[in-house]
Amino acid sequence: MGGIVVSELEYAPPASEPLFFDVSFGVAPGEHAVIVGANGVGKSTILRILSGEIEADAGDFAIDGSFLSMTQDVGMSNPTDTLRQMLIEVAPVQLRESGRALFAAEQAMNDGTDDGMKFAEALTEWGDLGGYELESQWAAAAGRSVKTPIDDFGTRLVSELSGGERKRLVLDLLLTSGVDVLLLDEPDNYLDIPTRLWLEEEIRKCRSTILMVSHDRSLLEQVANKAVVIEGSGAWVHGGPYTEYPEAREKRQRLLGDAVKRWNDEERRLFRHMKVMKQRAAQNFKNATKANAAETRWERFVKAGPPPPPVPDQNLHVKLRGADSSRRVLAFSDLSVSDLFLPFNDEVHFGERVGLIGPNGTGKSHLLRALAGELEPSSGSFKLGPRTSIGTFTQINDRPDFLGHACFDIVRQRVSDDEKAMKSLARYGLANQARQEFETLSGGQKARLEILCLELEGHNVLLLDEPTDNLDVDSSEVLEQALDGFLGTVIAVSHDRSFLAQLDRFVMINDDGDVYALPDFETAMEALTSPGEVSSVRFAKPLTN
């Protein structure tokens, strides 16, 4: 097992102010550490620097031993990529470069620009570096992670697997690789709850040193035994389990405040003493030496400067007001979408908070898209009640209408004047990003902006697809509080157990396409941990005929 040492790391995006500086921390061999902090402070950027994807502006770091890394959007960039291309990108450096060269040589041979000599050379190098052993690991991981058999990784497209299957395949491969260090960015994104439970168990069993970014509060409480906190443009470390982190931060803030107060008190005391001695020296020259010494002592103290103050807490204010509508908001009649699940019947009433749950690939997001008018039902229908206005939150913040537009301009389209636009951005912690274009924001900042737009548009029915996936913990909790006071109806797809616990009831779609109504969170969790036996779960009510 290897460790990680980071010293005085600094990074600024092109033509921007430093994102962070003086970031120093260590992760000892075998520790499972998480990087925490507000959206946009640079958590993912630190992992990108450590993995060699980008260079820091200053500072040093060292990773002892072999390492592998995974980005949060692994397998999501190009749907025409093959599984081979996806898995090559998470291979060790030498094999990654060899795999890319092999792919390029194969393409050149197939289109006739090469006679096959380069392909033969690349294939030999691939084998010499251990490529065939790696392919055996791919096959073993796929056998454990993918529902349908994979005959050829070079022809099977990533788009043929659900986002959760892609992520689990990569995670299975990395967590069983035996490398010294793993760098994991949002490993839980796109995973359903049974797979998140699997991930928790695999991380606990993994002997590798792990440094990861995650916003899943339940996952962090189960697996993280150290927290690296990025705030105030620097870093500090909580060397215990994540469950103790909130209390540790509160204590640290209190101590920092006490230290600043003590410094201020001491500075005033030294200053007053100097003034008294100056007055005595004016009356009696014999006191001049003592007065000069008092002045020197005060000047040195001031020059050293005060200790760092407490870091201001995030000041987010989400105001999802909503509005009244008819009692029956939605009525489903033998509805199915893309034939992903069996036709079902149900009603959603005003004020309900309904969670759509179930394994990945069962059609939950498709159902939300149909309710938003983006897809046509494959059978049956649904009917909206009077006075309903639907707003949607997309799982991957996929908003083509936002692309190329600055945050300020997006918000300004929804408010009456410039001042209100800036105040709205400030409430969501986005004032400093007012002139940034949407696509340059972090995932969490994009999510905040999308929620802000929902607020300003004033809908009374919210369709939320994984709303907390990219939000930091504080932002997730603020959103949950806002939804609690929202005058309207919420239908949400989520695999975040902390978020789901705030909802009223649940509709579960299982792998067989059956749809069940579940009355509360406890019943929903029981059904999710035994998806093949939902019909035997107490209080589970089938909604399909």
Side-chain angles (χ1 to χ4, degrees), residues 129-250:
L129 290 172
Y132 297 126
E133 290 83 355
L134 181 61
E135 289 178 17
S136 297
Q137 295 174 28
W138 292 353
R144 295 186 294 263
S145 307
V146 182
K147 296 173 184 176
T148 55
I150 298 174
D151 298 321
D152 187 351
F153 286 87
T155 58
R156 186 76 174 269
L157 300 180
V158 295
S159 57
E160 297 176 41
L161 272 59
S162 71
E165 283 184 312
R166 300 172 214 174
K167 204 70 173 278
R168 175 161 178 166
L169 172 57
V170 172
L171 285 166
D172 190 304
L173 186 67
L174 298 188
L175 291 167
T176 59
S177 65
V179 296
D180 297 304
V181 175
L182 290 173
L183 307 173
L184 307 177
D185 194 0
E186 300 282 9
D188 49 276
N189 274 13
Y190 306 106
L191 299 184
D192 55 30
I193 289 177
T195 310
R196 292 188 186 211
L197 294 171
W198 165 86
L199 176 61
E200 290 175 3
E201 181 62 25
E202 291 303 307
I203 289 178
R204 282 195 293 264
K205 292 191 304 185
C206 185
R207 296 177 60 83
S208 302
T209 303
I210 297 177
L211 179 62
M212 65 180 177
V213 172
S214 175
H215 299 136
D216 185 320
R217 289 156 281 181
S218 300
L219 175 74
L220 296 179
E221 290 171 358
Q222 291 296 318
V223 305
N225 51 33
K226 172 178 279 189
V228 178
V229 189
I230 310 299
E231 61 180 3
S233 299
W236 62 277
V237 174
H238 166 59
Y242 182 79
T243 50
E244 299 173 0
Y245 159 69
E247 181 181 350
R249 184 179 185 275
E250 183 180 344

Side-chain angles (χ1 to χ4, degrees), residues 15 116 213 341 461:
V213 172
F341 46 83
V461 179

